[in-house]
Amino acid sequence: MAAAMGRDPPGPAEDEAPGAAAAGAAAGREGGGEEGEGRARGGAEAGGCYLALCARPVHFEKANPVNCVFFDEANKQVFAVRSGGATGVVVKGLEDRNPISFRMEDKGEVKCIKFSLGNKILAVQRTLKSVDFLNFIPDSPQLEYTQECKTKNANILGFCWTSSTEIVFITDQGIEFYQVLPEKRSLKLLKNQSINVNWYMYCPESSVILLSTTVLGNVLQPFYFKSGTMAKLSKFEIELPAAPKSSKLSLSERDIAMATIYGQLYVLYLRHHSRTSNSTGAEVVLYHLPREGSCKKTHILKLNRTGKFALNVVDNLVVVHHQDTETSVIFDIKLKGEFDGSTTIHQFVLPPRSIQPYQIPVAGPASVTSQAPVPCKLYSSSWIVFQPDIIISASEGYLWSLQVKLEPVVNLLLDKGKLMDFLLQRKECKMVILSVCSQMLSEPERGSLSVIATVFDKLNNEYKKYLEAEQSYTMVVETGLSRSNPLLKRPVRTQAVIDQSDMYTHVLSVFTEKKEAPHKFTIAVLMEYIRSLNQFQIAVQHYLYELVIKTLVQHNLFYMLHQFLQYHVLSDSKPLACLLLSLESIYPPAHQLSLDMLKRLSTANDEIVEVLLSKHQVLAALRFIRGIGGHDSISARKFLDAAKQAEDEMLFYTIFRFFEQRNQRLRGNPSFTPGEHCEEHVTFFKQVFGEHALMKPTTF
């Protein structure tokens, strides 16, 4: 249901506000009009605004005596109905950019109008007793058909589509669940349930309808719908602020919302006065509504103020708008709160801020619109809020989705640990997290090593969870168990998974190249990240070790490099061994460190030679072979090929001379035998160094 922005605390004699009628306040320009693109004003005045209206709203004709406007929560569509539909109905949604326009016979005032999921069947309620249907299927006759409610003397409060062909009528005496048969132009009753109903609410994301029952209205009965079935969930009671003085409806639908937060369904109750007398200010109480089991009160969100409020849920955050101060606050129920044994009490995550200033474009041809866009009146009393993230301005004829902006949060939430906890739960978090990591390594915001370690651990905790889920999935698939579990899905890689290549590319390699920080700090940061990966038992990629080694070499910290290798701080790997070999000219012990590493890896000797040759470390390969006594049996051609590819004439000369000497020692003649296939290398040697440079046979 809709909630107007002005949710007053209910007064002692306040009449119940009209429910679905609130939806009659927003909508589309006839014929679809141009979609305006609004502008969120930047600059200092928008500094720190972490909420914004979407840039491309749905623009519709304002509600007026001729034009009635309705909003359908399931399809997120606005209906502008002119003259009962006789002069046109225009339907627009945030997702679908092409409006649907049609006319229908004016058969009286429209109370409610909605398309089925997929826009194939239109349902229109004009009386308290029946709902009319019209097929929007190609080649189907445009004839209306009607379904009256089954319960005698009952009045229809409204209806909800739960699928493309299933609909629920909610009456003041219960609910009726129907299947629509469009080709027969009739409905079939699947199930009905008698229960006294004050008002109802529907959550399309979870297919749950909530009914307010009993005289006070605070006993709520949920029903769940799925593919032709209706299940009655456990009913529960909303604790009212104080014992009501009279037996009249005390719980208004304006103070209730339903939303999915972190994959779980919650009923949110805006309690204007706290139950505890010492506490001032309103609060939002969250009741967790599971598919099975009883509904429990789990969270209380402290608003610390009174007045008019409205609720949205965006990116798993509960947003509470406060009309009097024209500000909003956000709550994250995943963050730590104060636990009293049964419920967790939360304060708002960030200081109250206004939604980012927004400018409405002036409609009309481009040549006429030279005048400045009009600032939009935020927190207007004509705003109507729908779950989870919709805001409709009836007076201006706009529908927006509300969005959370993460960049401003970075400067408002200074505790980096808490900031990471917050960001890791957000949908579009990756680039913001990486920029926070870069900031905390650079001046002027350089963090202490303990803060940096905390951030790395939080990132790697998420990374590890994803790797484990991926591993479990792979195992199930490989063992063939996936066939017995068709619901098994590959784990989704969210933006919260920041892996080693992300950190290397966007943060660590950039940080080491800048050379701003003292080298000890640079190395400490790299080692801290490696420590964190090891702590979560994540295999460290060799390029991180290479970054450490290169940084050590740049600062001539060979003693530290030696220690890191000696005490196995840097894990053994073939790429690392090759990197060490290449350092031999500037740090001679690196040669032996490298060979020791290759041996520890149980690398076969010929494989070590191949690795060295592939890295053009021809002399190193020769030294290694000599070191293990295998130089008499190796292929001369393989080494001469590698030496020639290196395009270093002196290297080629050295290798050629080595094999000439070997031939002399083994066969008494320096020349190569035909079986060694070295003719082209002999020719090359002669071309470069002349025939006289060939070794002459020595006789004794």
XYZ file of all heavy atoms in Angstrom, residues 20 350 379 569:
32
model
N -5.887 2.525 -0.359
C -5.463 2.455 -1.761
C -5.753 3.751 -2.491
O -5.163 4.034 -3.519
C -6.181 1.309 -2.451
N 24.447 6.694 9.604
C 25.067 7.962 9.198
C 24.232 9.115 9.732
O 23.037 8.953 9.998
C 25.108 8.042 7.659
C 25.855 6.918 6.949
C 25.563 6.951 5.467
C 27.350 7.020 7.184
N 10.666 16.113 -0.120
C 9.885 15.832 1.099
C 8.530 16.545 1.099
O 8.013 16.951 2.126
C 10.681 16.220 2.368
C 11.991 15.487 2.478
C 13.153 16.028 1.943
C 12.062 14.234 3.079
C 14.364 15.358 2.010
C 13.268 13.546 3.164
C 14.416 14.107 2.622
O 15.603 13.430 2.697
N 58.737 -17.107 4.289
C 57.673 -16.097 4.353
C 57.072 -15.957 2.950
O 55.872 -15.758 2.793
C 58.244 -14.739 4.833
C 57.179 -13.660 4.790
C 58.806 -14.879 6.246
